[in-house]
């Protein structure tokens, strides 16, 4: 019996396809408020990793109060379906999609549709993924989205369907070119040794990006700095054109390193970033940081990391910190002091954005270095945060 059916059925194991028609069929005294429900499901799925309990709570989303915000309810659906896809529980993901959007009256958004397409592509079911894409296109208001293009391009390239992936890229040529979708295409061609095609796509991306700027009929400065990502409390704005180009250059750096061309790879990096004193956004910095660490360029990675930390004095990018922690904790140097001190500040100020994976990495590093007291100190902080979170999420009404 599948996970979903076991949760839903409970004592009703005689009824294989039982679908709850009211919240009380799922649990006693159900709390169907959308914000509280979304928060609980996210906590159970992402922090605790208990997909069984998370699913049970998520089923209540179908009975959210009519005056609640529908986008919050959809966030609950997206959280649990996404968790199932990441756990390779594809049958459960399909069931949940059908439960929310076919068996009940909720309407899917682009993110939920993308997860089903991603699931099918992960299993190599390209035709089914494309059939689903054609079905929801025009029916779901915000589908396809930029994320849809990324999911389709990535999955099709990994399935060896370069022709279809390129067709999707060309089909989006009238919009702002997506650097992530182009990255998947370039990676695919580099993986099969077609450097010429990869370079051609890179140049095509830059031309399309430049054309988009011109068509906007705005000054270059205004366009390049509008809607750019910012750190909270930061006065920095990031030049978007240069960042998107540098983001793709990280893919070529990785390729050159793999070919044993370390000098050429670092020349590409130095010419595009340090020499131009390019102000990097977190997404581009993370892409470059991972390539530098992957290929042993620790001094350059540390310099880049410190530059990024200098840009934000109160909050930091947790993905970037996790990347550095993983590297330092796997080496003999132990844990790096800067991310540890910033993490301690975050915990002390009560912020909740620090992921458990980061805390566990710090604990493992301390144990590896024989610093048992510091490992226990971090573990206690992690436990205190978890207790506070549980108390807030599941406090009785």
């Amino acid at each position: 019996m599948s996970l979903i059916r076991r949760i839903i059925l409970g004592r009703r194991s005689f009824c294989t396809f039982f679908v709850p028609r009211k919240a009380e069929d799922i649990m006693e005294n159900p709390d169907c408020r959308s914000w509280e429900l979304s928060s609980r499901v996210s906590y159970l799925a992402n922090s605790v990793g208990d997909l069984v309990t998370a699913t049970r709570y998520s089923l209540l989303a179908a009975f959210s109060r009519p005056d609640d915000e529908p986008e919050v309810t959809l966030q609950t659906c997206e959280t649990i379906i996404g968790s199932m896809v990441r756990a390779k529980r594809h049958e459960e993901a399909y069931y949940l999609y059908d439960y929310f959007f076919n068996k009940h009256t909720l309407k899917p958004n682009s993110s939920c549709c993308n997860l089903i397409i991603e699931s099918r592509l992960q299993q190599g079911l390209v035709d089914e993924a494309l059939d689903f894409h054609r079905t929801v296109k025009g029916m779901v208001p915000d589908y396809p989205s930029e994320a849809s293009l990324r999911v389709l391009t990535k999955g099709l390239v990994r399935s060896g369907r370069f022709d279809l992936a390129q067709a999707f890229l060309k089909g989006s040529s009238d919009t702002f070119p997506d650097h992530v979708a182009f990255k998947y295409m370039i990676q695919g061609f580099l993986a099969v040794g077609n450097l010429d095609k990869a370079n051609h796509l890179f140049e095509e991306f830059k031309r399309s990006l430049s054309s988009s700027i011109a068509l906007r009929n705005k000054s270059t400065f205004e366009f390049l700095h509008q809607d750019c990502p910012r750190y909270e409390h930061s006065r920095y704005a990031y030049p978007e054109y240069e960042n998107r180009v540098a983001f793709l250059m990280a893919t070529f750096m990785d390729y050159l390193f793999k070919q044993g061309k370390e000098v050429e790879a670092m020349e590409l990096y130095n010419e595009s970033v340090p020499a131009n004193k390019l102000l990097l956004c977190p997404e581009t910095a993370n892409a470059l940081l991972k390539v530098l660490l992957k290929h042993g360029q620790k001094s350059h990675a540390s310099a880049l990391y410190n530059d990024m930390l200098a840009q934000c004095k109160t909050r930091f990018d947790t993905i970037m910190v996790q990347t550095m922690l993983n590297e330092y904790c796997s080496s003999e140097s132990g844990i790096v002091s800067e991310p540890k001190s910033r993490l301690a500040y975050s915990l002390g100020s009560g912020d909740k954005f620090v992921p458990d994976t980061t805390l566990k990495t710090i604990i493992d590093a301390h144990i590896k270095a024989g610093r048992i007291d510091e490992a226990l100190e971090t573990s206690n902080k992690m436990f205190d945060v978890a207790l506070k979170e549980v108390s807030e999420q599941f406090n009785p009404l």
Side-chain angles (χ1 to χ4, degrees):
M1 186 181 297
S2 71
L3 170 65
I4 299 297
R5 291 175 184 172
R6 182 169 66 253
I7 293 170
I8 293 177
L9 297 178
R11 299 182 206 173
R12 303 173 184 254
S13 57
F14 59 87
C15 185
T16 307
F17 296 100
F18 171 75
V19 176
R21 293 301 175 187
K22 59 181 185 297
E24 288 74 14
D25 290 340
I26 300 170
M27 64 178 65
E28 295 181 359
N29 302 316
D31 181 3
C32 297
R33 294 175 297 169
S34 59
W35 279 104
E36 287 74 8
L37 188 57
S38 177
S39 183
R40 289 167 184 167
V41 171
S42 177
Y43 174 72
L44 288 166
N46 299 325
S47 297
V48 180
D50 184 353
L51 293 185
V52 173
T53 308
T55 298
R56 187 183 180 200
Y57 274 92
S58 74
L59 297 178
L60 294 173
F63 308 99
S64 294
R65 296 176 180 178
D67 56 343
D68 280 352
E69 300 175 74
E71 64 272 15
V72 180
T73 297
L74 285 177
Q75 185 177 327
T76 300
C77 302
E78 181 184 345
T79 296
I80 192 61
I81 295 173
S83 296
M84 291 300 180
V85 173
R86 287 187 291 274
K88 310 299 182 185
R89 298 178 180 269
H90 300 292
E91 179 186 353
E92 286 82 358
Y94 300 157
Y95 181 95
L96 284 164
Y97 184 94
D98 182 65
Y99 169 82
F100 291 130
F101 307 122
N102 293 327
K103 297 296 191 297
H104 290 280
T105 59
L106 298 178
K107 303 298 181 184
N109 61 10
S110 180
S111 297
C112 293
C113 295
N114 293 340
L115 288 168
I116 297 302
I117 291 176
E118 180 182 355
S119 173
R120 290 177 175 173
L121 288 172
Q122 282 182 7
Q123 299 174 85
L125 304 174
V126 175
D127 291 336
E128 289 190 18
L130 294 176
D131 286 342
F132 184 81
H133 161 74
R134 287 187 286 267
T135 298
V136 297
K137 187 177 181 181
M139 296 178 59
V140 178
D142 62 342
Y143 184 91
S145 62
E146 180 180 74
S148 306
L149 176 64
R150 295 178 179 184
V151 169
L152 285 163
T153 304
K154 180 180 181 179
L156 290 171
V157 167
R158 291 188 173 181
S159 299
R161 304 294 294 273
F162 289 84
D163 53 338
L164 287 174
Q166 284 189 276
F168 277 107
L169 277 184
K170 290 182 179 179
S172 63
S173 60
D174 58 337
T175 61
F176 201 77
D178 183 64
H179 56 299
V180 178
F182 268 86
K183 181 194 77 169
Y184 293 139
M185 284 297 307
I186 290 172
Q187 282 180 332
F189 282 114
L190 291 176
V192 297
N194 196 336
L195 180 59
D196 290 339
K197 187 62 177 178
N199 280 323
H200 175 77
L201 279 173
F202 186 45
E203 295 302 320
E204 179 183 327
F205 172 80
K206 290 191 290 185
R207 285 194 301 271
S208 179
L209 189 58
S210 297
S211 297
S212 296
I213 294 173
L215 290 173
R216 295 289 181 99
N217 196 27
K218 296 181 179 180
S219 69
T220 302
F221 180 87
E222 179 186 358
F223 174 79
L224 292 180
H225 293 79
Q226 68 173 3
D227 299 326
C228 288
R230 294 174 182 266
Y231 277 116
E232 188 175 342
H233 309 303
S234 173
R235 58 185 175 83
Y236 295 100
Y238 307 100
E240 194 71 1
Y241 177 88
E242 290 85 350
N243 266 276
R244 294 188 183 204
V245 171
F247 178 86
L248 289 181
M249 282 186 176
T251 302
F252 286 96
M253 285 174 55
D254 184 49
Y255 171 77
L256 290 171
F257 276 123
K258 290 177 179 177
Q259 298 299 310
K261 299 180 179 180
E262 178 180 323
V263 174
E264 291 88 339
M266 289 310 301
E267 284 179 352
L268 188 63
Y269 173 73
N270 290 324
E271 290 173 3
S272 62
V273 182
N276 292 329
K277 297 181 180 180
L278 178 59
L279 185 64
L280 296 174
C281 68
E283 182 184 33
T284 300
N286 283 328
L288 292 165
L289 188 64
K290 289 178 181 179
V291 172
L292 291 171
L293 289 173
K294 178 181 178 181
H295 298 286
Q297 301 295 323
K298 293 186 179 181
S299 61
H300 291 282
S302 295
L304 173 59
Y305 175 76
N306 290 329
D307 286 344
M308 293 301 296
L309 287 179
Q311 294 178 21
C312 50
K313 297 299 184 183
T314 59
R315 295 178 71 89
F316 56 89
D317 185 86
T318 55
I319 297 177
M320 183 174 63
V321 172
Q322 184 68 45
T323 300
M324 289 300 291
L325 283 173
N326 288 340
E327 173 61 28
Y328 278 90
C329 292
S330 64
S331 64
E332 296 180 357
S333 59
I335 192 168
V336 62
S337 60
E338 181 68 12
K340 180 193 172 185
S341 63
R342 286 178 177 267
L343 198 59
Y345 171 84
S346 172
L347 288 172
S349 61
D351 288 342
K352 297 180 182 179
F353 65 90
V354 180
D356 288 344
T357 52
T358 301
L359 296 172
K360 290 175 182 177
T361 301
I362 292 177
I363 294 171
D364 290 342
H366 285 318
I367 293 175
K368 179 180 178 181
R371 296 190 288 266
I372 305 302
D373 289 342
E374 294 186 46
L376 289 172
E377 178 187 355
T378 305
S379 177
N380 288 336
K381 288 181 179 179
M382 181 178 175
F383 186 69
D384 290 341
V385 171
L387 283 178
K388 181 180 179 181
E389 190 79 2
V390 170
S391 176
E392 292 177 353
Q393 298 295 345
F394 300 97
N395 186 40
L397 296 174

